[in-house]
């Protein structure tokens, strides 16, 4: 292998420090933070260890300098009385600085005053790259080397040629020597560019920066990437619109997550898979996470942990929380990502429909005793035979209808109670009911969104992107194929080829899709911004399956006026409040 193949390009390396122009600045002020507090500006421009120029001027602050500051700096009111004002010298300093990297000791102080001055005097702040020698020194030097990071202490430590004396130019000259001393100190740690220097200041470890070459040969295209460990185990899976750019960010200060720093340190390499579309990248990421359960991925690792609410199949049905949807013709509602939202929805449904909450199995002619809920009027009490079988079955059927097609009875059932609680100023109890109803609404929207896609044998859709038309084939809620119609290609022809090569997907047991719930939700997000080319079956929601989000607050605050607003749906079109996009691509 040639040395050219091994050596990173200049783009990968960044700008060498020897070629960077630094403008080291120091300010003296009146001791206040008000307008025009600057009394002196001093700056030194250097590159490659050579001084290119110096800038120094006193400034008339148009306010008195405090005696303590005058003693400390030696700058008196008489000295600045004839000096130019800040608006006259600010532009000169910005011109002197140009596009250089701005350096200061405790940079937030000096940069803060300069930015404030630009705002006060209608000057555009150039937003330069800033290096803070205090932050750099704290990262580089150990406590047993220097007791603190004051400029005087560091100047003595590095043998600066100028002793800082609280005058702007002298302090700037001392800061130049401190900067050079710090750069020499970290040169053997692999810090050779301004990008390295900034990352080192932000405490990006040399081991992490050294792995940035992993990204140089990756493609600038959408897809998935995964970091692997010594044993080949997948540590982390991610997706990106540009694999190269995203992977490169893991080796810079842009990545601040602690667990990612740990992951990169123990990783031995990164692999990738280019995808035709961004949706395909998202789906591939989800499937890889579900298959390999990478230790450093927090989301999407355990899709089997979702929970569903089931109306049991027995003489006197009840609500039961289950993890598995079976092909048993029972009614399921969900899914829930945790037990708390599932319990909130269950409580809201029990408030609306007084079906039994006990767990024992009852015969068609029960002979038990009534429970406390029955005494409170919150249960029809089938356990003691006091309710007719048909009456209980009718209530269960109303509950089933509410879950599958019309959510309004759930809201109407608690309207009077909610109104009473609000009028009695029992706001905490009212908020509990409102939260439960919100969970019902959110779950109903998720349920029908998933179930509607799961019932459609095939959807062929396209969405425009900078790379061309992204075309997908969806079967029973599963991504079966992706393709990209690049500029100059006929999208309809690409779509027909995608359908011909798409994965064969068997119809799942309703309401489950043929893919994970999260995959269907990602597909739903994508389809709502896409155009339908072809569809087999009906992509619909029941008219009153959910309500508009604005209806619930109205119900909670003014029960007599809040009316649920169903979102329209029609056969073969996406369920939403705005008209569907036209299906034509050209």
């Amino acid at each position: 292998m040639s040395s050219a193949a091994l050596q990173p390009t200049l783009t990968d390396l960044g700008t060498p420090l020897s070629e960077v122009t630094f403008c080291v600045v120091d300010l003296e002020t009146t001791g206040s933070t008000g307008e025009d507090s600057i009394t002196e500006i001093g700056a030194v421009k250097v590159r490659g260890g050579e001084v290119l120029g110096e800038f120094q001027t006193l400034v008339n602050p148009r306010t008195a300098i405090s005696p303590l500051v005058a003693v400390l700096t030696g700058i008196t009111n008489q000295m600045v009385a004839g000096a130019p004002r800040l608006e006259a010298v600010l532009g000169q300093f910005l011109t002197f600085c140009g596009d250089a990297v701005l350096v200061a000791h405790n940079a937030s102080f000096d940069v803060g005053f300069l930015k404030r001055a630009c705002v006060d005097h209608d000057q555009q702040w150039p937003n330069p790259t800033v290096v803070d020698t205090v932050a750099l020194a704290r990262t580089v030097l150990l406590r047993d080397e220097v007791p603190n990071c004051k400029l005087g202490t560091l100047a003595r430590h590095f043998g600066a040629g100028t002793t800082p004396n609280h005058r702007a130019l002298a302090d700037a000259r001392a800061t130049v020597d401190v900067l050079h001393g710090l750069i020499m100190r970290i040169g053997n740690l692999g810090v050779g560019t301004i990008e390295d220097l900034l990352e080192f200041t932000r405490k990006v470890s040399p081991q992490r920066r050294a792995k940035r070459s992993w990204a140089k040969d990756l493609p600038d295209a959408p897809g998935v990437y995964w970091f692997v460990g010594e044993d080949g185990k997948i540590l982390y899976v991610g997706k990106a619109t540009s694999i190269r750019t995203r992977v490169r960010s893991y080796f810079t200060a842009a990545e601040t997550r602690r667990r990612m720093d740990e992951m990169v340190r123990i990783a031995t390499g990164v692999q990738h898979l280019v995808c035709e579309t961004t949706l395909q990248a998202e789906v591939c990421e989800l499937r890889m996470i579900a298959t390999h359960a990478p230790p450093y991925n927090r989301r999407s690792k355990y899709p089997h942990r979702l929970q569903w609410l089931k109306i049991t199949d027995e003489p006197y049905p009840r609500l039961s929380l289950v993890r598995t949807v079976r092909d048993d013709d029972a009614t399921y509602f969900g899914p829930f990502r945790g037990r708390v939202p599932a319990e909130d929805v269950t409580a809201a449904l029990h408030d609306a429909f007084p079906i039994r909450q006990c767990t024992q199995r009852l015969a068609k002619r029960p002979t038990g005793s009534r429970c406390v809920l029955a005494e409170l009027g919150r249960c029809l009490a089938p356990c003691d035979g006091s309710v007719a079988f048909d009456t209980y079955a009718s209530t269960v059927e109303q509950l089933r209808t509410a879950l599958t097609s019309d959510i309004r009875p759930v809201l109407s059932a608690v309207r009077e109670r909610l109104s009473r609680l609000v009028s009695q100023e029992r706001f905490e109890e009212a908020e509990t009911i409102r939260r439960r109803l919100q969970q019902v609404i959110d779950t109903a929207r998720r349920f029908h969104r998933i179930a509607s896609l799961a019932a459609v044998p095939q959807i062929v859709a396209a969405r425009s992107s900078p790379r061309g038309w992204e075309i997908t084939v969806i079967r029973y809620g599963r991504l079966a194929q992706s393709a990209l119609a690049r500029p100059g290609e006929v999208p309809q022809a690409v779509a027909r080829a995608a359908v011909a090569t798409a994965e064969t997907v068997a119809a799942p047991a309703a309401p489950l899709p043929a893919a994970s719930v999260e995959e269907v939700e990602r597909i739903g997000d994508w389809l709502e911004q896409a155009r339908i080319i072809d569809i087999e079956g009906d992509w619909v929601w029941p008219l009153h399956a959910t309500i508009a989000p604005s209806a619930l607050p109205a119900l909670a605050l003014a029960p007599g006026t809040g009316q649920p607003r169903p979102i329209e749906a029609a056969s073969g079109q996406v369920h939403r409040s705005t008209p569907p996009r036209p299906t034509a691509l050209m």
Side-chain angles (χ1 to χ4, degrees):
M1 186 177 295
S2 67
S3 60
L6 292 172
Q7 184 173 352
T9 64
L10 290 177
T11 302
D12 293 322
L13 290 174
T15 306
L17 288 171
S18 60
E19 299 178 9
V20 175
T21 301
F22 295 99
C23 182
V24 183
V25 65
D26 185 80
L27 305 180
E28 301 300 333
T29 68
T30 62
S32 68
T33 58
E35 183 178 352
D36 290 355
S37 299
I38 299 174
T39 59
E40 187 178 28
I41 302 176
V44 181
K45 186 181 288 189
V46 295
R47 183 175 62 239
E50 179 184 353
V51 176
L52 303 180
E54 293 183 340
F55 180 93
Q56 190 275 333
T57 181
L58 290 169
V59 180
N60 185 346
R62 295 185 293 185
T63 185
I65 301 173
S66 68
L68 180 62
V69 172
V71 172
L72 181 66
T73 63
I75 301 175
T76 64
N77 292 319
Q78 291 77 11
M79 291 174 61
V80 300
R85 293 186 175 178
L86 183 59
E87 57 266 28
V89 300
L90 182 60
Q92 299 174 19
F93 167 74
L94 294 177
T95 301
F96 173 81
C97 184
D99 58 357
V101 174
L102 196 64
V103 181
H105 198 72
N106 190 17
S108 61
F109 174 86
D110 300 276
V111 172
F113 273 98
L114 290 172
K115 292 173 71 174
R116 167 73 182 273
C118 286
V119 172
D120 292 340
H121 298 290
D122 296 326
Q123 291 275 2
Q124 183 177 0
W125 174 245
N127 197 28
T129 300
V130 177
V131 173
D132 187 351
T133 50
V134 171
L136 187 58
R138 287 173 178 168
T139 304
V140 174
L141 302 177
L142 302 177
R143 180 57 62 90
D144 57 356
E145 294 182 87
V146 291
N148 56 61
C149 291
K150 294 180 180 179
L151 181 58
T153 303
L154 297 179
R156 288 191 299 272
H157 178 76
F158 288 110
T162 303
T163 301
N165 59 2
H166 296 290
R167 291 299 300 269
L169 184 58
D171 286 5
R173 290 169 175 168
T175 304
V176 169
D177 292 335
V178 169
L179 174 66
H180 288 161
L182 292 170
I183 290 176
M184 291 178 62
R185 176 66 179 270
I186 61 179
N188 62 345
L189 298 178
V191 179
T193 66
I194 183 61
E195 291 79 8
D196 292 339
L197 181 63
L198 296 173
E199 291 168 13
F200 193 91
T201 304
R202 297 164 186 162
K203 300 184 179 180
V204 179
S205 66
Q207 295 83 359
R208 183 168 147 195
R209 291 198 314 275
K211 295 179 179 180
R212 66 186 184 274
S213 60
W214 291 357
K216 69 173 184 175
D217 294 327
L218 296 178
D220 183 19
V224 292
Y225 57 89
W226 57 95
F227 288 86
V228 296
E230 291 183 353
D231 55 355
K233 179 179 175 60
I234 295 178
L235 302 175
Y236 180 81
V237 179
K239 67 177 186 304
T241 54
S242 171
I243 299 175
R244 181 196 305 158
T245 302
R246 183 67 186 97
V247 171
R248 183 183 293 168
S249 70
Y250 285 91
F251 312 115
T252 69
E255 179 53 73
T256 59
R257 292 172 293 179
R258 184 173 300 177
R259 75 180 191 281
M260 290 295 100
D261 180 69
E262 178 182 322
M263 183 274 295
V264 171
R265 282 192 287 108
I266 66 176
T268 59
V270 61
Q271 300 177 26
H272 72 281
L273 174 67
V274 174
C275 297
E276 293 287 354
T277 66
T278 54
L279 177 61
Q280 185 184 18
E282 290 189 44
V283 171
C284 285
E285 178 198 33
L286 292 174
R287 293 179 183 177
M288 287 190 66
I289 292 174
T291 301
H292 300 282
Y296 289 93
N297 281 95
R298 288 184 174 177
R299 298 182 58 188
S300 311
K301 287 172 63 175
Y302 307 106
H304 58 279
R305 292 186 178 179
L306 294 173
Q307 301 183 36
W308 295 78
L309 205 56
K310 175 183 180 179
I311 300 179
T312 59
D313 184 16
E314 52 185 315
Y316 292 95
R318 59 184 177 85
L319 290 173
S320 176
L321 201 57
V322 299
R323 291 191 180 274
T324 304
V325 175
R326 303 183 185 278
D327 189 7
D328 54 5
D329 295 326
T331 299
Y332 292 88
F333 186 69
F336 303 95
R337 293 188 174 90
R339 192 169 187 86
V340 172
E343 291 175 345
D344 280 345
V345 171
T346 303
L349 295 176
H350 281 146
D351 286 342
F353 304 97
I355 64 172
R356 69 188 184 96
Q357 302 181 33
C358 53
T359 58
Q360 67 268 27
R361 190 173 184 85
L362 301 179
K364 193 167 184 178
R365 297 182 182 276
T367 58
S369 58
R370 296 168 65 88
C371 64
V372 176
L373 290 175
E375 297 296 338
L376 294 175
R378 299 189 59 190
C379 178
L380 292 176
C383 50
D384 67 352
S386 59
V387 62
F389 179 81
D390 292 342
T391 301
Y392 189 89
S394 175
T395 302
V396 172
E397 188 58 33
Q398 294 174 27
L399 169 61
R400 184 175 287 109
T401 300
L403 297 184
T404 58
S405 59
D406 191 348
I407 199 177
R408 293 177 298 173
V410 181
L411 307 179
S412 300
V414 297
R415 177 175 297 171
E416 182 179 349
R417 181 185 174 194
L418 190 59
S419 177
R420 184 174 65 254
L421 291 174
V422 171
S423 64
Q424 295 173 355
E425 297 187 359
R426 296 162 62 183
F427 298 119
E428 291 184 1
E429 296 176 61
E431 169 59 22
T432 298
I433 294 177
R434 190 209 63 81
R435 187 191 69 242
R436 291 173 179 174
L437 293 178
Q438 184 65 62
Q439 287 290 358
V440 172
I441 293 170
D442 293 343
T443 306
R445 183 178 186 277
R446 185 183 308 117
F447 171 77
H448 290 288
R449 195 175 187 223
I450 294 169
S452 62
L453 281 172
V456 182
Q458 179 173 286
I459 300 175
V460 184
R463 191 171 79 173
S464 179
S465 75
R467 301 168 62 237
W469 282 98
E470 295 184 345
I471 296 172
T472 62
V473 181
I474 314 298
R475 291 176 175 171
Y476 297 110
R478 181 179 178 87
L479 178 63
Q481 185 60 284
S482 288
L484 180 66
R486 294 174 173 81
E489 296 181 324
V490 180
Q492 290 83 350
V494 175
R496 287 192 293 270
V499 172
T501 58
E503 174 188 354
T504 300
V505 180
L512 282 180
S516 69
V517 167
E518 192 163 0
E519 177 177 332
V520 180
E521 290 184 304
R522 300 286 182 89
I523 289 172
D525 292 339
W526 189 91
L527 285 175
E528 288 175 2
Q529 303 297 322
R531 297 180 179 181
I532 306 301
I533 299 176
D534 183 45
I535 185 170
E536 295 179 15
D538 296 330
W539 183 13
V540 295
W541 290 11
L543 182 62
H544 300 296
T546 185
I547 65 171
S550 59
L552 184 57
L555 176 65
L557 298 178
T561 60
Q563 296 296 324
R565 295 185 298 171
I567 302 176
E568 299 295 336
S571 177
Q573 70 182 48
V574 65
H575 169 89
R576 55 183 156 201
S577 55
T578 56
R581 294 169 180 259
T583 58
L585 296 181
M586 299 181 66

